[in-house]
Structure formats: C-alpha cells, structure tokens
Amino acid sequence: MSAYVSAFELFSVGVGPSSSHTVGPMRAARDFAARLRAVDGVARVTCALFGSLGATGLGHGTPDAVVAGLQGLEPETVDPDAVRSAWSGWPDGRELTLDGGRRIPFARDDVSFEPRTRLPGHPNAMTLRALDDRGAVLVDDTYYSVGGGFIRREGEPPQVAAAPFPLEFDSAEDLLALCDERHITIAEAARLNEQALRGEEDVAVGLDAIWDAMAGCVEAGLHAEGILPGMLRVKRRAAAIRAQLEAAEAESGRELPGEWLGAFALAVNEQNAAGGRVVTAPTNGAAGIVPAVAMYWWRFLADSGLGVGNAVTPHGELVGSALLGFHPEAEAAMPELDPVEVIEANRRRGIRRYLLTATALGSLFKANASISGAEGGCQAEVGSACAMAAGGLTAVMGGTNRQIENAAEIAMEHHLGLTCDPVGGLVQIPCIERNAIAASTAVTAARLALRGDGSHFVSLDTVVETMRQTGIDMSTKYKETSEGGLAVNVIEC
C-alpha cells in the first residue's frame, strides 16, 4: 500500500484549537451518532476521554467538539461559535438532538475525563456508549484520534482511498526513484495520484480552495485583536505586528519579508487558539507553518522570477498540465488576460505545486512515523509541517527533487526530540511562537538546499525513522499531556 495521502485529507478545513483533540473527536462523535440512527431505544449517550484527550481535553475544547459532533455538526462547515461552548455552556437537563433528530437527556457529566488510562491503540482514545432507559449498553465504540483530524474506530481496518494511486511509494528513496524513472517532479507525482481520485480541474479548484482558506485565516489573524480564551489571558500580537510593519515599510520604502513571515504564522495560530477556522497542515497545532511560508513566497518571491521552479524536469523535458502549473509555456495556451490576471494565475499555479509537494512529503511522515503530538511529541507536528513547507518552497523556487528532499531533511533533522508541553493544556504557549520559529527554519532549510546539488549525508528516510524511534523513547509527560516541560514549570495564573 502506498504511503501517499491525498492533499484533500492531509489539508482539511476545520476549527481550532487542535486537529487531534478537537477536529478528530468531533468527527468521531458525528460518526457514532450517525450509527445510532439504526439503533432503537437509545435514551442516553456518554463519552469517556482517555490518555492525552483526558489530560488536555479541557484546554483543547475536546468535550465541546464531542457535543457538536453528536449533533451532526462537521468541522469543515460548522460555525466555530457553535463549538466553543457546546459542552462548557450546556445547561444540565436540556435535551440533546442527536444527528438524525432523536432527542435525549444530556448533562455535562456525561463526558468524563480519564487521563491516567491509556488505551493500547493510541494515546488519543475515546469511548462512546449508547444506553437504554434502564442503563443497559446498546452500543459501545472506541475511537482513536490519530493526528491531523484522522480517526480510526477500533475493530475497523484502516481506511483506504476510493481508488488505487497509480504512483505508489513507501519512502523518500522510492519517491525519488519513481520520479527519476518517469522524468517527473515530486509535485507531478502527487498530481497524478490526485487525478486518480478526481479530474484535473477538480484538483486545481480544490487546491485553490485550500489556499483560499489558508490565506483567509492569515488575513483574519492579522486584523484580530484581543485576548485568547483560557486562563493564561494571552494577548494577540499579529495585528499589532502588522501595523508596526506597515508603518516601518511606509517610512523606509522597503519591505521586511522575514518579519512578515513570523507575523503570518502568528496570525494563523492565534486564530487556531481562538477556535477559529483553520486548515490542518498537517495538524492544527502546527497549522501556521505551511500557510506562512506559502504567503511569504506569494507576497515577496512569486513575481521576482524566482517562483517558476520545477516547470522543467531534471532531464529538461516538458511535463504536466497548464492548469496545474507544470508546463513552462502554460501562459501561451491561456486566453488573453490583463497583467494582473496573469500574475494571479502564475501565483495560483505555484501554490498548487507547493501544496502538492508538501503533500507528498507529509504523507511520508504520517505513514512512517507520526503527525500526532500525543504519539510523537511536537517533533511530529511542528517538525513535519516545517519539512513540508521547506520542501514546498524549494519546489517553487526551482529546486530539483533531490534538493526538495534535502530541504525536508534539514528542516526535520533540527526538530528531532521537540516535546509537546502546552502550558495549561492550551494550544498557545509555546505553540504559537513555535510555529513562527519553524516557518523561519523552513525558509532557511530551503535556502541551504538550493545552494547545494541535492547530495547530503543524512537521508530524509533516516530522519523520519529517527523521529519515529525518538517518539517511542520520549516520556509520556512530553506528549501533549501537559505533565512535563514548560507545562509544569510555568505558573498559569
């Protein structure tokens, strides 16, 4: 089975603050409620949150997500305001309308927290039970939220794609060999796999929608002010930094790309921490890195002649489609457009290439290590996102496949051992700043790789395996439990 995961699964639109603790539990609860439509006599539903979900569920909005999911709400379309207090503001005695229309009594105590109990399937586990009016169990299902919003129900085989991918690879070495054999880029390989599931135009439209959601999150975060929810009372900073940068640029007449990069990442993760609309990339806790680096390229590099990379394969052959941006003479096949439209079209094609490259790399981390902070620490979330962004930026800057692999390796190598220790169980400290730093690391990794010829001593596969081993060896208290590190050494109030 191929390691490849579709871009439309790896990058999914949802709500904050956590893909594994908010989006995943919402999907699990919705799936459970949908199963209950065929069950007679349901009078009560309970949910037990185990391990990491139990330890940091309150700070991550997990019980709110469970209640929203039981009502049939979906992360992709739900109004974030409908999730934020779905459980915490629930009046005891009020009936809950399950997905499908059945009404049952529900109280906040129907959601329990059991952080000391860790189920063998995954650190993020939850058991949902449906009971009749005598208390007898009608349905008992355990779900695992395995990172990035992906879920798995106990007893079910892993979900597979609706159609087999034509280009299968299980490692970076396989991916590079496959691309060499076919004389294609990494992004092109991802495109061919996506088109096994949907048409070329649908792929382009879908990637554009992902980017629009990312860019919208950046823009919203750059203009939002106030205090983030939770006992830490963290003040939003992205909007103030934006105002400072705009004033400084107006005065000096020169741009400050590096400082904007950090502001973009802060903007996204402040939106995430506030429970706003975000794109998992590949998780919510690391959601700012891929959009920030993409926006950095979009605003400062795309029109400089540095954003047309990978139009030609390493062998100099023309490949791919004009629509998705793999043909160097794509503009010649387009109708007459004004200069502004041409610039927009060029940028769009670059972003598609960026996202497809990042998807291929992210698939390797998910398949061969982990993208779950509860399973592998923050190296699994921020480290993976940093590597994906570094590879994507290298691709749109004209890097070869081996330079892309090198950039991802550099980025991940310097996140090995990174712990997940959110203060107060909130995705705020150190998570928000950590995304800004990792975005800068991604750009540095891309620049270093582009200065080389793609050859390097440590392979990406070696780093992924090292990351997996490090996650296994890492103490549980450093895996999104808030039982170690900054989480216990910082006074919360």
PDB file of all heavy atoms in Angstrom, residues 427-463:
ATOM      1  N   VAL A 427      -3.435  25.448  23.389  1.00  0.00           N
ATOM      2  CA  VAL A 427      -2.555  25.472  22.220  1.00  0.00           C
ATOM      3  C   VAL A 427      -2.090  26.910  21.996  1.00  0.00           C
ATOM      4  O   VAL A 427      -2.388  27.541  20.977  1.00  0.00           O
ATOM      5  CB  VAL A 427      -3.277  24.914  20.975  1.00  0.00           C
ATOM      6  CG1 VAL A 427      -2.282  24.652  19.852  1.00  0.00           C
ATOM      7  CG2 VAL A 427      -4.004  23.631  21.315  1.00  0.00           C
ATOM      8  N   GLN A 428      -1.352  27.432  22.994  1.00  0.00           N
ATOM      9  CA  GLN A 428      -0.954  28.837  22.972  1.00  0.00           C
ATOM     10  C   GLN A 428       0.530  29.020  23.282  1.00  0.00           C
ATOM     11  O   GLN A 428       1.285  29.552  22.467  1.00  0.00           O
ATOM     12  CB  GLN A 428      -1.819  29.635  23.969  1.00  0.00           C
ATOM     13  CG  GLN A 428      -3.300  29.611  23.616  1.00  0.00           C
ATOM     14  CD  GLN A 428      -4.177  30.335  24.624  1.00  0.00           C
ATOM     15  OE1 GLN A 428      -3.710  31.090  25.464  1.00  0.00           O
ATOM     16  NE2 GLN A 428      -5.481  30.088  24.544  1.00  0.00           N
ATOM     17  N   ILE A 429       0.954  28.579  24.465  1.00  0.00           N
ATOM     18  CA  ILE A 429       2.350  28.693  24.884  1.00  0.00           C
ATOM     19  C   ILE A 429       2.893  27.283  25.078  1.00  0.00           C
ATOM     20  O   ILE A 429       2.337  26.514  25.865  1.00  0.00           O
ATOM     21  CB  ILE A 429       2.476  29.478  26.212  1.00  0.00           C
ATOM     22  CG1 ILE A 429       1.923  30.891  26.052  1.00  0.00           C
ATOM     23  CG2 ILE A 429       3.927  29.533  26.667  1.00  0.00           C
ATOM     24  CD1 ILE A 429       1.857  31.664  27.370  1.00  0.00           C
ATOM     25  N   PRO A 430       3.938  26.911  24.336  1.00  0.00           N
ATOM     26  CA  PRO A 430       4.760  27.692  23.400  1.00  0.00           C
ATOM     27  C   PRO A 430       4.323  27.574  21.937  1.00  0.00           C
ATOM     28  O   PRO A 430       5.045  27.954  21.038  1.00  0.00           O
ATOM     29  CB  PRO A 430       6.139  27.049  23.580  1.00  0.00           C
ATOM     30  CG  PRO A 430       5.803  25.587  23.786  1.00  0.00           C
ATOM     31  CD  PRO A 430       4.520  25.569  24.581  1.00  0.00           C
ATOM     32  N   CYS A 431       3.136  27.023  21.702  1.00  0.00           N
ATOM     33  CA  CYS A 431       2.729  26.578  20.366  1.00  0.00           C
ATOM     34  C   CYS A 431       2.715  27.692  19.325  1.00  0.00           C
ATOM     35  O   CYS A 431       3.143  27.492  18.180  1.00  0.00           O
ATOM     36  CB  CYS A 431       1.360  25.921  20.444  1.00  0.00           C
ATOM     37  SG  CYS A 431       1.147  24.838  21.879  1.00  0.00           S
ATOM     38  N   ILE A 432       2.189  28.860  19.677  1.00  0.00           N
ATOM     39  CA  ILE A 432       2.033  29.934  18.693  1.00  0.00           C
ATOM     40  C   ILE A 432       3.391  30.423  18.201  1.00  0.00           C
ATOM     41  O   ILE A 432       3.645  30.488  16.992  1.00  0.00           O
ATOM     42  CB  ILE A 432       1.207  31.088  19.294  1.00  0.00           C
ATOM     43  CG1 ILE A 432      -0.219  30.614  19.611  1.00  0.00           C
ATOM     44  CG2 ILE A 432       1.166  32.273  18.335  1.00  0.00           C
ATOM     45  CD1 ILE A 432      -1.057  31.626  20.379  1.00  0.00           C
ATOM     46  N   GLU A 433       4.273  30.760  19.121  1.00  0.00           N
ATOM     47  CA  GLU A 433       5.611  31.222  18.727  1.00  0.00           C
ATOM     48  C   GLU A 433       6.399  30.116  18.034  1.00  0.00           C
ATOM     49  O   GLU A 433       7.195  30.384  17.131  1.00  0.00           O
ATOM     50  CB  GLU A 433       6.382  31.708  19.951  1.00  0.00           C
ATOM     51  CG  GLU A 433       5.889  33.033  20.494  1.00  0.00           C
ATOM     52  CD  GLU A 433       6.706  33.482  21.696  1.00  0.00           C
ATOM     53  OE1 GLU A 433       7.544  32.683  22.177  1.00  0.00           O
ATOM     54  OE2 GLU A 433       6.510  34.632  22.143  1.00  0.00           O
ATOM     55  N   ARG A 434       6.170  28.887  18.450  1.00  0.00           N
ATOM     56  CA  ARG A 434       6.901  27.757  17.864  1.00  0.00           C
ATOM     57  C   ARG A 434       6.638  27.664  16.361  1.00  0.00           C
ATOM     58  O   ARG A 434       7.520  27.309  15.588  1.00  0.00           O
ATOM     59  CB  ARG A 434       6.490  26.463  18.579  1.00  0.00           C
ATOM     60  CG  ARG A 434       7.301  25.260  18.195  1.00  0.00           C
ATOM     61  CD  ARG A 434       7.056  24.125  19.181  1.00  0.00           C
ATOM     62  NE  ARG A 434       7.769  24.329  20.427  1.00  0.00           N
ATOM     63  CZ  ARG A 434       7.620  23.561  21.513  1.00  0.00           C
ATOM     64  NH1 ARG A 434       6.776  22.541  21.477  1.00  0.00           N
ATOM     65  NH2 ARG A 434       8.306  23.796  22.617  1.00  0.00           N
ATOM     66  N   ASN A 435       5.432  27.997  15.935  1.00  0.00           N
ATOM     67  CA  ASN A 435       5.110  27.997  14.512  1.00  0.00           C
ATOM     68  C   ASN A 435       5.877  29.086  13.771  1.00  0.00           C
ATOM     69  O   ASN A 435       6.337  28.875  12.642  1.00  0.00           O
ATOM     70  CB  ASN A 435       3.609  28.179  14.306  1.00  0.00           C
ATOM     71  CG  ASN A 435       2.838  26.882  14.392  1.00  0.00           C
ATOM     72  OD1 ASN A 435       2.358  26.357  13.402  1.00  0.00           O
ATOM     73  ND2 ASN A 435       2.714  26.352  15.598  1.00  0.00           N
ATOM     74  N   ALA A 436       6.010  30.245  14.389  1.00  0.00           N
ATOM     75  CA  ALA A 436       6.750  31.333  13.743  1.00  0.00           C
ATOM     76  C   ALA A 436       8.220  30.977  13.574  1.00  0.00           C
ATOM     77  O   ALA A 436       8.819  31.234  12.520  1.00  0.00           O
ATOM     78  CB  ALA A 436       6.604  32.617  14.564  1.00  0.00           C
ATOM     79  N   ILE A 437       8.806  30.371  14.596  1.00  0.00           N
ATOM     80  CA  ILE A 437      10.210  29.969  14.519  1.00  0.00           C
ATOM     81  C   ILE A 437      10.392  28.886  13.463  1.00  0.00           C
ATOM     82  O   ILE A 437      11.349  28.898  12.670  1.00  0.00           O
ATOM     83  CB  ILE A 437      10.695  29.461  15.892  1.00  0.00           C
ATOM     84  CG1 ILE A 437      10.583  30.568  16.953  1.00  0.00           C
ATOM     85  CG2 ILE A 437      12.130  28.960  15.797  1.00  0.00           C
ATOM     86  CD1 ILE A 437      11.358  31.821  16.643  1.00  0.00           C
ATOM     87  N   ALA A 438       9.473  27.930  13.415  1.00  0.00           N
ATOM     88  CA  ALA A 438       9.587  26.839  12.449  1.00  0.00           C
ATOM     89  C   ALA A 438       9.407  27.334  11.019  1.00  0.00           C
ATOM     90  O   ALA A 438      10.015  26.795  10.089  1.00  0.00           O
ATOM     91  CB  ALA A 438       8.569  25.751  12.756  1.00  0.00           C
ATOM     92  N   ALA A 439       8.583  28.351  10.816  1.00  0.00           N
ATOM     93  CA  ALA A 439       8.433  28.924   9.477  1.00  0.00           C
ATOM     94  C   ALA A 439       9.763  29.502   9.004  1.00  0.00           C
ATOM     95  O   ALA A 439      10.160  29.335   7.841  1.00  0.00           O
ATOM     96  CB  ALA A 439       7.345  29.997   9.485  1.00  0.00           C
ATOM     97  N   SER A 440      10.464  30.174   9.912  1.00  0.00           N
ATOM     98  CA  SER A 440      11.780  30.710   9.577  1.00  0.00           C
ATOM     99  C   SER A 440      12.774  29.592   9.290  1.00  0.00           C
ATOM    100  O   SER A 440      13.591  29.684   8.358  1.00  0.00           O
ATOM    101  CB  SER A 440      12.293  31.583  10.739  1.00  0.00           C
ATOM    102  OG  SER A 440      13.572  32.089  10.466  1.00  0.00           O
ATOM    103  N   THR A 441      12.695  28.514  10.063  1.00  0.00           N
ATOM    104  CA  THR A 441      13.567  27.368   9.833  1.00  0.00           C
ATOM    105  C   THR A 441      13.311  26.753   8.462  1.00  0.00           C
ATOM    106  O   THR A 441      14.240  26.330   7.764  1.00  0.00           O
ATOM    107  CB  THR A 441      13.350  26.313  10.931  1.00  0.00           C
ATOM    108  OG1 THR A 441      13.676  26.878  12.205  1.00  0.00           O
ATOM    109  CG2 THR A 441      14.216  25.078  10.699  1.00  0.00           C
ATOM    110  N   ALA A 442      12.049  26.685   8.069  1.00  0.00           N
ATOM    111  CA  ALA A 442      11.699  26.128   6.762  1.00  0.00           C
ATOM    112  C   ALA A 442      12.330  26.927   5.635  1.00  0.00           C
ATOM    113  O   ALA A 442      12.863  26.359   4.674  1.00  0.00           O
ATOM    114  CB  ALA A 442      10.177  26.084   6.596  1.00  0.00           C
ATOM    115  N   VAL A 443      12.276  28.247   5.741  1.00  0.00           N
ATOM    116  CA  VAL A 443      12.878  29.095   4.714  1.00  0.00           C
ATOM    117  C   VAL A 443      14.394  28.901   4.688  1.00  0.00           C
ATOM    118  O   VAL A 443      15.012  28.800   3.621  1.00  0.00           O
ATOM    119  CB  VAL A 443      12.513  30.577   4.956  1.00  0.00           C
ATOM    120  CG1 VAL A 443      13.276  31.486   4.001  1.00  0.00           C
ATOM    121  CG2 VAL A 443      11.006  30.780   4.777  1.00  0.00           C
ATOM    122  N   THR A 444      15.005  28.838   5.859  1.00  0.00           N
ATOM    123  CA  THR A 444      16.453  28.620   5.932  1.00  0.00           C
ATOM    124  C   THR A 444      16.826  27.271   5.325  1.00  0.00           C
ATOM    125  O   THR A 444      17.816  27.153   4.581  1.00  0.00           O
ATOM    126  CB  THR A 444      16.921  28.680   7.392  1.00  0.00           C
ATOM    127  OG1 THR A 444      16.625  29.974   7.931  1.00  0.00           O
ATOM    128  CG2 THR A 444      18.417  28.430   7.502  1.00  0.00           C
ATOM    129  N   ALA A 445      16.054  26.227   5.636  1.00  0.00           N
ATOM    130  CA  ALA A 445      16.338  24.901   5.090  1.00  0.00           C
ATOM    131  C   ALA A 445      16.254  24.904   3.567  1.00  0.00           C
ATOM    132  O   ALA A 445      17.086  24.298   2.881  1.00  0.00           O
ATOM    133  CB  ALA A 445      15.362  23.884   5.675  1.00  0.00           C
ATOM    134  N   ALA A 446      15.257  25.597   3.032  1.00  0.00           N
ATOM    135  CA  ALA A 446      15.108  25.677   1.576  1.00  0.00           C
ATOM    136  C   ALA A 446      16.299  26.396   0.948  1.00  0.00           C
ATOM    137  O   ALA A 446      16.835  25.965  -0.086  1.00  0.00           O
ATOM    138  CB  ALA A 446      13.807  26.386   1.222  1.00  0.00           C
ATOM    139  N   ARG A 447      16.722  27.473   1.573  1.00  0.00           N
ATOM    140  CA  ARG A 447      17.857  28.230   1.026  1.00  0.00           C
ATOM    141  C   ARG A 447      19.138  27.402   1.046  1.00  0.00           C
ATOM    142  O   ARG A 447      19.920  27.422   0.087  1.00  0.00           O
ATOM    143  CB  ARG A 447      18.040  29.521   1.833  1.00  0.00           C
ATOM    144  CG  ARG A 447      16.965  30.569   1.570  1.00  0.00           C
ATOM    145  CD  ARG A 447      17.113  31.751   2.492  1.00  0.00           C
ATOM    146  NE  ARG A 447      16.180  32.825   2.144  1.00  0.00           N
ATOM    147  CZ  ARG A 447      15.901  33.853   2.925  1.00  0.00           C
ATOM    148  NH1 ARG A 447      16.485  33.952   4.113  1.00  0.00           N
ATOM    149  NH2 ARG A 447      15.057  34.787   2.528  1.00  0.00           N
ATOM    150  N   LEU A 448      19.353  26.684   2.142  1.00  0.00           N
ATOM    151  CA  LEU A 448      20.544  25.838   2.218  1.00  0.00           C
ATOM    152  C   LEU A 448      20.509  24.748   1.145  1.00  0.00           C
ATOM    153  O   LEU A 448      21.518  24.477   0.484  1.00  0.00           O
ATOM    154  CB  LEU A 448      20.638  25.199   3.603  1.00  0.00           C
ATOM    155  CG  LEU A 448      21.033  26.118   4.763  1.00  0.00           C
ATOM    156  CD1 LEU A 448      20.892  25.383   6.093  1.00  0.00           C
ATOM    157  CD2 LEU A 448      22.449  26.644   4.599  1.00  0.00           C
ATOM    158  N   ALA A 449      19.334  24.122   0.973  1.00  0.00           N
ATOM    159  CA  ALA A 449      19.222  23.056  -0.022  1.00  0.00           C
ATOM    160  C   ALA A 449      19.431  23.581  -1.434  1.00  0.00           C
ATOM    161  O   ALA A 449      20.065  22.930  -2.267  1.00  0.00           O
ATOM    162  CB  ALA A 449      17.859  22.387   0.101  1.00  0.00           C
ATOM    163  N   LEU A 450      18.913  24.761  -1.711  1.00  0.00           N
ATOM    164  CA  LEU A 450      19.035  25.341  -3.050  1.00  0.00           C
ATOM    165  C   LEU A 450      20.472  25.726  -3.380  1.00  0.00           C
ATOM    166  O   LEU A 450      20.843  25.820  -4.559  1.00  0.00           O
ATOM    167  CB  LEU A 450      18.114  26.557  -3.183  1.00  0.00           C
ATOM    168  CG  LEU A 450      16.623  26.238  -3.314  1.00  0.00           C
ATOM    169  CD1 LEU A 450      15.790  27.486  -3.061  1.00  0.00           C
ATOM    170  CD2 LEU A 450      16.315  25.639  -4.682  1.00  0.00           C
ATOM    171  N   ARG A 451      21.287  25.939  -2.359  1.00  0.00           N
ATOM    172  CA  ARG A 451      22.701  26.265  -2.585  1.00  0.00           C
ATOM    173  C   ARG A 451      23.537  25.012  -2.831  1.00  0.00           C
ATOM    174  O   ARG A 451      24.705  25.109  -3.206  1.00  0.00           O
ATOM    175  CB  ARG A 451      23.264  27.033  -1.381  1.00  0.00           C
ATOM    176  CG  ARG A 451      22.691  28.427  -1.201  1.00  0.00           C
ATOM    177  CD  ARG A 451      23.065  29.334  -2.352  1.00  0.00           C
ATOM    178  NE  ARG A 451      22.538  30.687  -2.179  1.00  0.00           N
ATOM    179  CZ  ARG A 451      22.654  31.658  -3.093  1.00  0.00           C
ATOM    180  NH1 ARG A 451      23.266  31.392  -4.234  1.00  0.00           N
ATOM    181  NH2 ARG A 451      22.150  32.843  -2.862  1.00  0.00           N
ATOM    182  N   GLY A 452      22.947  23.859  -2.593  1.00  0.00           N
ATOM    183  CA  GLY A 452      23.665  22.613  -2.839  1.00  0.00           C
ATOM    184  C   GLY A 452      23.164  21.930  -4.101  1.00  0.00           C
ATOM    185  O   GLY A 452      22.316  22.469  -4.829  1.00  0.00           O
ATOM    186  N   ASP A 453      23.655  20.732  -4.342  1.00  0.00           N
ATOM    187  CA  ASP A 453      23.253  19.997  -5.539  1.00  0.00           C
ATOM    188  C   ASP A 453      22.298  18.846  -5.218  1.00  0.00           C
ATOM    189  O   ASP A 453      22.008  18.011  -6.070  1.00  0.00           O
ATOM    190  CB  ASP A 453      24.475  19.449  -6.278  1.00  0.00           C
ATOM    191  CG  ASP A 453      25.294  18.478  -5.428  1.00  0.00           C
ATOM    192  OD1 ASP A 453      24.873  18.156  -4.292  1.00  0.00           O
ATOM    193  OD2 ASP A 453      26.364  18.042  -5.905  1.00  0.00           O
ATOM    194  N   GLY A 454      21.808  18.822  -3.988  1.00  0.00           N
ATOM    195  CA  GLY A 454      20.865  17.777  -3.591  1.00  0.00           C
ATOM    196  C   GLY A 454      21.503  16.595  -2.892  1.00  0.00           C
ATOM    197  O   GLY A 454      20.797  15.782  -2.288  1.00  0.00           O
ATOM    198  N   SER A 455      22.831  16.479  -2.972  1.00  0.00           N
ATOM    199  CA  SER A 455      23.506  15.379  -2.279  1.00  0.00           C
ATOM    200  C   SER A 455      23.748  15.759  -0.822  1.00  0.00           C
ATOM    201  O   SER A 455      24.088  16.899  -0.522  1.00  0.00           O
ATOM    202  CB  SER A 455      24.829  15.048  -2.973  1.00  0.00           C
ATOM    203  OG  SER A 455      25.699  16.165  -2.948  1.00  0.00           O
ATOM    204  N   HIS A 456      23.543  14.812   0.080  1.00  0.00           N
ATOM    205  CA  HIS A 456      23.758  15.085   1.509  1.00  0.00           C
ATOM    206  C   HIS A 456      23.960  13.769   2.230  1.00  0.00           C
ATOM    207  O   HIS A 456      23.625  12.692   1.712  1.00  0.00           O
ATOM    208  CB  HIS A 456      22.598  15.883   2.101  1.00  0.00           C
ATOM    209  CG  HIS A 456      21.239  15.301   1.836  1.00  0.00           C
ATOM    210  ND1 HIS A 456      20.480  14.712   2.813  1.00  0.00           N
ATOM    211  CD2 HIS A 456      20.503  15.214   0.700  1.00  0.00           C
ATOM    212  CE1 HIS A 456      19.338  14.306   2.297  1.00  0.00           C
ATOM    213  NE2 HIS A 456      19.331  14.590   1.016  1.00  0.00           N
ATOM    214  N   PHE A 457      24.483  13.840   3.437  1.00  0.00           N
ATOM    215  CA  PHE A 457      24.920  12.645   4.154  1.00  0.00           C
ATOM    216  C   PHE A 457      23.748  11.895   4.780  1.00  0.00           C
ATOM    217  O   PHE A 457      23.672  10.673   4.708  1.00  0.00           O
ATOM    218  CB  PHE A 457      25.927  13.036   5.242  1.00  0.00           C
ATOM    219  CG  PHE A 457      26.635  11.856   5.848  1.00  0.00           C
ATOM    220  CD1 PHE A 457      27.698  11.250   5.195  1.00  0.00           C
ATOM    221  CD2 PHE A 457      26.230  11.336   7.066  1.00  0.00           C
ATOM    222  CE1 PHE A 457      28.350  10.148   5.755  1.00  0.00           C
ATOM    223  CE2 PHE A 457      26.863  10.245   7.632  1.00  0.00           C
ATOM    224  CZ  PHE A 457      27.932   9.653   6.970  1.00  0.00           C
ATOM    225  N   VAL A 458      22.829  12.626   5.416  1.00  0.00           N
ATOM    226  CA  VAL A 458      21.693  12.013   6.108  1.00  0.00           C
ATOM    227  C   VAL A 458      20.469  12.102   5.200  1.00  0.00           C
ATOM    228  O   VAL A 458      20.092  13.182   4.760  1.00  0.00           O
ATOM    229  CB  VAL A 458      21.410  12.719   7.448  1.00  0.00           C
ATOM    230  CG1 VAL A 458      20.207  12.074   8.143  1.00  0.00           C
ATOM    231  CG2 VAL A 458      22.637  12.671   8.350  1.00  0.00           C
ATOM    232  N   SER A 459      19.838  10.972   4.936  1.00  0.00           N
ATOM    233  CA  SER A 459      18.671  10.972   4.056  1.00  0.00           C
ATOM    234  C   SER A 459      17.410  11.349   4.829  1.00  0.00           C
ATOM    235  O   SER A 459      17.351  11.237   6.064  1.00  0.00           O
ATOM    236  CB  SER A 459      18.478   9.596   3.428  1.00  0.00           C
ATOM    237  OG  SER A 459      18.048   8.657   4.405  1.00  0.00           O
ATOM    238  N   LEU A 460      16.390  11.779   4.092  1.00  0.00           N
ATOM    239  CA  LEU A 460      15.104  12.079   4.725  1.00  0.00           C
ATOM    240  C   LEU A 460      14.526  10.822   5.370  1.00  0.00           C
ATOM    241  O   LEU A 460      13.964  10.894   6.472  1.00  0.00           O
ATOM    242  CB  LEU A 460      14.126  12.639   3.688  1.00  0.00           C
ATOM    243  CG  LEU A 460      12.702  12.930   4.184  1.00  0.00           C
ATOM    244  CD1 LEU A 460      12.716  13.918   5.342  1.00  0.00           C
ATOM    245  CD2 LEU A 460      11.832  13.444   3.052  1.00  0.00           C
ATOM    246  N   ASP A 461      14.664   9.683   4.734  1.00  0.00           N
ATOM    247  CA  ASP A 461      14.157   8.443   5.322  1.00  0.00           C
ATOM    248  C   ASP A 461      14.815   8.133   6.660  1.00  0.00           C
ATOM    249  O   ASP A 461      14.154   7.672   7.595  1.00  0.00           O
ATOM    250  CB  ASP A 461      14.388   7.272   4.361  1.00  0.00           C
ATOM    251  CG  ASP A 461      13.475   7.319   3.145  1.00  0.00           C
ATOM    252  OD1 ASP A 461      12.352   7.840   3.265  1.00  0.00           O
ATOM    253  OD2 ASP A 461      13.893   6.845   2.073  1.00  0.00           O
ATOM    254  N   THR A 462      16.121   8.402   6.760  1.00  0.00           N
ATOM    255  CA  THR A 462      16.822   8.173   8.027  1.00  0.00           C
ATOM    256  C   THR A 462      16.278   9.083   9.115  1.00  0.00           C
ATOM    257  O   THR A 462      16.083   8.657  10.265  1.00  0.00           O
ATOM    258  CB  THR A 462      18.333   8.415   7.843  1.00  0.00           C
ATOM    259  OG1 THR A 462      18.849   7.481   6.902  1.00  0.00           O
ATOM    260  CG2 THR A 462      19.076   8.256   9.165  1.00  0.00           C
ATOM    261  N   VAL A 463      15.995  10.324   8.768  1.00  0.00           N
ATOM    262  CA  VAL A 463      15.467  11.278   9.752  1.00  0.00           C
ATOM    263  C   VAL A 463      14.050  10.882  10.169  1.00  0.00           C
ATOM    264  O   VAL A 463      13.689  10.977  11.352  1.00  0.00           O
ATOM    265  CB  VAL A 463      15.502  12.712   9.188  1.00  0.00           C
ATOM    266  CG1 VAL A 463      14.748  13.666  10.102  1.00  0.00           C
ATOM    267  CG2 VAL A 463      16.944  13.180   9.044  1.00  0.00           C
TER     268      VAL A 463
END
